[in-house]
Amino acid sequence: MSEDMKARSGQQDRTGGAPVGTRRKTKPAKRAVPDFVHNLRGVGNWSEAGPWLAARSIEDIECITPDLAGVPRGKMMPSNKFTSNTALALPSALFRQTISGEYPDETGEFRYDPRDGDLKLEPDLATLSVVPWETDPTAQVVCDLVDQRTGEPSWITPRQVLKRVIDAYADKGWRPVVAPEIEFYLVAKNTDPDYPLQPPVGRSGRPISGGQSYSIAGINEFDELIDDIYHFCEAQGLEIDTLIHEEGPSQLEINLRHGDPLALADQVFLFKRTIREAALKADMYATFMAKPIQGAPGNAMHIHQSVVDAKTGANIFSEEDGSESPLFRAFIGGMQHYMPKALVMIAPYVNSYRRLTQAIAAPVNTAWGYDNRTTAFRVPASDPQARRVENRLPSSDANPYLALAASLACGYLGMVYGLVPTDPTAETANEGEIDLPRGLLEAVSLFEEEHAFDGILGREFMANYAGVKRGEFETFMQVISPWEREYLLLNV
C-alpha cells in the first residue's frame, strides 16, 4: 500500500532524482555544467533542452501524448529538429477514435470536426526523459495539444481535461494530492484472442498459481523482469514506492509516491508503457485489462486523494485539533453522489464491468468506511495531516488522466455543494444490491445526463467521450462470444 501522505505532501518533484555526477575540484576550472543536465528527468525551458540532450548523446525524440484510451500517440523526430522547436501536429480525429481504431457514427451530441483539422503538439519539457529500452539514444516528452489557429487548449484531450480539474481546485485556493496504486498481470504470450490468457513460467520452470498475496517468492519468480522494471523506471525518473505480488496468478501491484495529479498521471502513463516493454524483453506480456483472466481477481487502479491549502500546505480534510473537517465529509459525499455518474471514465470498457461483480475483491457499492476494503471509498488509518480518501473503484484499464480527473471532480463538487455523506460502515459492504451501473451503455447515459460535470469536465469533452464509448460498444456487439456458442448453439 502507498505510504501515508505526510504534512510535506506538496507538488511532486518532476525533475526526478539527484545529480548523477559532479565535477572534480582538482581539475582546472571550467564552465560548470548546469544542474538540469544532471537531472534524470525534465528541464525548465527550451534553452536547457539542447545541453540536456547533448549530455546524453540523444539522437531521436519521441513526442507523445495520451489518446482517450491512454495509448501513446505522437511523432518521432531528430533531436536537432526538436531543439529548433519545429512545429508538430496530430489530426484531431485521433481523439474521436475507438480503441479498435474505428470512427463511430455521430450520436447524441457527438460530432466530428467538419474540417478534420490538426492539433499542435506542445512539449511539456518537465516530462523530458530517456527511453531506456531503445538501442539508439532516444528521449521522450509528453505533449499537450492546442488548436492550430487560436492556440487555445484542446479540451477533448485527456491531459487538458485533468488540467481543467486542477485549475478548478486552484480557483478555490486548494491543491489536490494523489497517490495511485496500479495492478497488472504478467501473462504468457498469446497471439490468438480466442484462447484464454495463461500465467507465464517463472524461474522455477512452473507457472505461478494464485493466492500469492504479498509473497516475496512470487515476486522472485520474475527477478530479472523486476530488475528491468526498476532500472527502466530509475532511468526515467519514475518514483516507485513499493512493489508487491497480488492475489491473482502472476498479478503484481506497484505503488507510486504521492504528489501533484498531473505529474502522477504522467508517471502512470509512462509507467504502463515501461511495464509492457520490460515484459516483452522477458518474452511475456503485461496486461492492465480490468478482468483478463476468468475467475481471477481484476486489475484495479486505487487512487489515494487528499487536498491541501495552496498557501499553507495544511491538509484541509483536518481541523486544527486533528478532527475531521466538514470539507472532508463533503468530499466523501461528492464521491458517493457523483462517482456512479462518472464511472465510465474509470471503468471505460465492456470488460471493465466484469471486474465490478459481487464476491470479488472489487467494490460494487458507494459506501465508505474507516480502513474497510469492502467499501468503494476507504479512509486509511493515518495521522490528521495525512487524512485521505482512497477511491477503490477505478480499474487499471482507465486512462490515468481521465481517472484522476473524474475522481477529483466528484470530490470537488461535493465540497462546493456541501454534500453530506452517509454514515460510515464497519460491515462488509460488498453484499446485497450493486449500487453501480452494470454495463457500459448505462454508464454512458448516466454520464451524459449529469450536467454538474459540464463546468469542471467540459461539455465538449463529455459529448466526444460518450460518442466514442457508444461506438466501442457497437463494435463489441459484432463479436460472438464463447458463452453464446456454448449455451445457444444447440439449445435454442
Side-chain angles (χ1 to χ4, degrees), residues 344-356:
V344 71
M345 291 177 67
I346 63 171
Y349 305 105
V350 172
N351 180 261
S352 309
Y353 297 84
R354 302 190 191 282
R355 168 181 166 261
L356 298 173

Side-chain angles (χ1 to χ4, degrees), residues 340-344 353 434-449 470 473:
K341 303 172 185 182
L343 192 68
V344 71
Y353 297 84
I434 295 178
D435 299 330
L436 304 171
R438 296 296 293 123
L440 185 61
L441 284 187
E442 181 185 352
V444 169
S445 296
L446 288 175
F447 179 66
E448 285 184 301
E449 293 167 1
R470 277 193 296 269
F473 181 81

Side-chain angles (χ1 to χ4, degrees), residues 118-130:
D118 283 344
L119 297 173
K120 180 183 176 183
L121 286 161
E122 286 196 341
D124 182 344
L125 296 177
T127 68
L128 185 63
S129 66
V130 299

Side-chain angles (χ1 to χ4, degrees), residues 397-438:
D397 58 355
N399 181 318
Y401 300 90
L402 299 184
L404 288 172
S407 193
L408 291 172
C410 292
Y412 170 89
L413 291 171
M415 292 192 293
V416 168
Y417 295 142
L419 299 186
V420 178
T422 63
D423 292 333
T425 180
E427 306 297 328
T428 299
N430 258 8
E431 299 174 350
E433 295 184 3
I434 295 178
D435 299 330
L436 304 171
R438 296 296 293 123

Side-chain angles (χ1 to χ4, degrees), residues 365-381:
N365 55 71
T366 58
W368 75 281
Y370 298 102
D371 201 21
N372 186 342
R373 285 190 171 85
T374 70
T375 61
F377 312 117
R378 170 179 171 257
V379 178

Side-chain angles (χ1 to χ4, degrees), residues 233-269:
C233 287
E234 183 179 5
Q236 296 172 88
L238 304 178
E239 296 188 74
I240 293 178
D241 190 0
T242 57
L243 182 148
I244 66 169
H245 197 288
E246 265 290 355
E247 179 71 19
S250 305
Q251 185 186 32
L252 304 180
E253 174 185 291
I254 286 185
N255 303 330
L256 301 180
R257 293 181 62 83
H258 56 271
D260 169 68
L262 185 63
L264 266 296
D266 287 337
Q267 289 205 35
V268 175
F269 174 55

Side-chain angles (χ1 to χ4, degrees), residues 207-443:
I208 192 168
S209 61
Q212 298 287 328
S213 291
Y214 294 91
S215 167
I216 299 301
I219 293 175
N220 290 342
E221 282 286 308
F222 307 104
D223 268 348
E224 291 187 10
L225 184 149
I226 299 300
D227 286 345
D228 282 337
I229 290 175
Y230 275 109
H231 293 155
F232 286 169
C233 287
E234 183 179 5
Q236 296 172 88
L238 304 178
E239 296 188 74
I240 293 178
D241 190 0
T242 57
L243 182 148
I244 66 169
H245 197 288
E246 265 290 355
E247 179 71 19
S250 305
Q251 185 186 32
L252 304 180
E253 174 185 291
I254 286 185
N255 303 330
L256 301 180
R257 293 181 62 83
H258 56 271
D260 169 68
L262 185 63
L264 266 296
D266 287 337
Q267 289 205 35
V268 175
F269 174 55
L270 297 176
F271 168 76
K272 292 173 81 169
R273 187 183 187 206
T274 298
I275 295 297
R276 291 190 181 100
E277 291 290 340
L280 286 173
K281 184 181 175 185
D283 200 36
M284 62 185 74
Y285 293 156
T287 180
F288 297 86
M289 282 179 63
K291 191 74 169 180
I293 299 176
Q294 184 173 319
N299 283 325
M301 182 170 63
H302 300 154
I303 301 171
H304 292 249
Q305 308 159 100
S306 63
V307 183
V308 301
D309 184 284
K311 291 182 178 179
T312 67
N315 189 336
I316 68 171
F317 286 171
S318 297
E319 301 282 27
E320 289 186 4
D321 63 2
S323 61
E324 296 173 356
S325 70
L327 287 175
F328 171 70
R329 289 292 182 114
F331 187 95
I332 295 174
M335 298 289 287
Q336 288 187 303
H337 181 77
Y338 289 109
M339 203 71 254
K341 303 172 185 182
L343 192 68
V344 71
M345 291 177 67
I346 63 171
Y349 305 105
V350 172
N351 180 261
S352 309
Y353 297 84
R354 302 190 191 282
R355 168 181 166 261
L356 298 173
T357 57
Q358 291 175 321
I360 299 293
V364 292
N365 55 71
T366 58
W368 75 281
Y370 298 102
D371 201 21
N372 186 342
R373 285 190 171 85
T374 70
T375 61
F377 312 117
R378 170 179 171 257
V379 178
S382 70
D383 60 55
Q385 189 54 28
R387 182 170 279 124
R388 63 194 187 276
V389 180
E390 178 192 8
N391 184 354
R392 298 178 58 81
L393 290 177
S395 48
S396 285
D397 58 355
N399 181 318
Y401 300 90
L402 299 184
L404 288 172
S407 193
L408 291 172
C410 292
Y412 170 89
L413 291 171
M415 292 192 293
V416 168
Y417 295 142
L419 299 186
V420 178
T422 63
D423 292 333
T425 180
E427 306 297 328
T428 299
N430 258 8
E431 299 174 350
E433 295 184 3
I434 295 178
D435 299 330
L436 304 171
R438 296 296 293 123
L440 185 61
L441 284 187
E442 181 185 352

